[in-house]
Amino acid sequence: MTQQQRPQPVSGIAPPPAPRRSADWMFGGVYGTVLASALLAALDQTGQDYTPFYDASWVLVTAVAAGLAHGYSHHMATHHEGGAGHRWRLLSHALWNEWPMVVAVLPTVLLLVAAGIADWDSYTVTAVGLGLNTALLFGWGAFVAARVGHRIRSALLIGLADATIGLTVIAANALIK
C-alpha cells in the first residue's frame, strides 16, 4: 500500500493507545511480582550485612526502570510519524501504562521497609516475602481470569498456574543458596 492508500485519521495523528484491560493489568502485576520475588531472593546474601532499606530502594528502582524500558520498547515498536509533541504524548502514554508493574512491587518494598524499621532478620523477611508474592501471583491470576469471564474453577487453576511461578522462584532460591 502506498501512503495515499492508507486510511488516515482526520487530524493526521494516530489516536492514543486504548486504555489497559484486565489482562494487561495481569501482565504488569505478574511481571512486577515475579521481578520483586527474584530481587528479594537475589539481594539476600548469606554472610553479608542485611540492608533492607537499600534492598527496598533497589526493588523499586528496578521496577521503575523495567517499566520505563517496557513502555519505551512498546512505543518504539508502534512508532507513528508525527511531531515531537505527538511523540512525547505517545511515549508518556506508553510509560503510564506500565504502572501495574511498579505497583506490584510495592508489597515487597513495604515489607523490606517494615523489616528495616522493626529490625527483622533477613531469612524471615525473604521467606515471608516470597510466600506473600506467591499468594499475590495466585490472586493476580485468579482475579483477572474471573474478571475476563472464566468460571471459578478455571480462574482458580489459572491462579494456581501463576502461583507456580512464585514456587519456582522459592525453589530456585533454596537450590542456589
Side-chain angles (χ1 to χ4, degrees):
M1 254 185 184
T2 66
Q3 180 70 11
Q4 292 176 348
Q5 293 174 326
R6 289 184 197 149
Q8 296 292 318
V10 175
S11 66
I13 297 175
R20 304 273 287 190
R21 299 171 313 202
S22 295
D24 295 332
W25 296 346
M26 182 178 163
F27 168 80
V30 168
Y31 191 94
T33 304
V34 171
L35 180 67
S37 293
L39 287 167
L40 182 64
L43 289 169
D44 178 31
Q45 296 295 319
T46 305
Q48 293 184 355
D49 290 337
Y50 180 50
T51 55
F53 295 119
Y54 173 84
D55 293 355
S57 64
W58 269 112
V59 170
L60 190 58
V61 165
T62 303
V64 169
L68 290 171
H70 191 258
Y72 181 72
S73 65
H74 271 281
H75 166 70
M76 293 308 292
T78 60
H79 181 71
H80 299 284
E81 292 185 29
H86 172 67
R87 282 191 301 272
W88 176 248
R89 282 190 309 278
L90 285 176
L91 179 58
S92 63
H93 198 275
L95 297 176
W96 172 249
N97 283 336
E98 300 305 320
W99 68 265
M101 184 187 314
V102 176
V103 170
V105 304
L106 292 181
T108 301
V109 169
L110 294 174
L111 176 66
L112 288 165
V113 168
I117 292 169
D119 198 29
W120 296 335
D121 68 288
S122 68
Y123 177 80
T124 302
V125 172
T126 301
V128 168
L130 292 176
L132 171 67
N133 286 343
T134 299
L136 289 170
L137 285 168
F138 175 82
W140 275 112
F143 174 75
V144 174
R147 184 145 188 224
V148 298
H150 288 274
R151 293 178 186 242
I152 253 327
R153 184 173 185 270
S154 295
L156 293 175
L157 288 172
I158 290 169
L160 186 59
D162 282 4
T164 302
I165 299 168
L167 294 172
T168 302
V169 173
I170 291 170
N173 186 48
L175 290 172
I176 292 170
K177 293 184 180 178

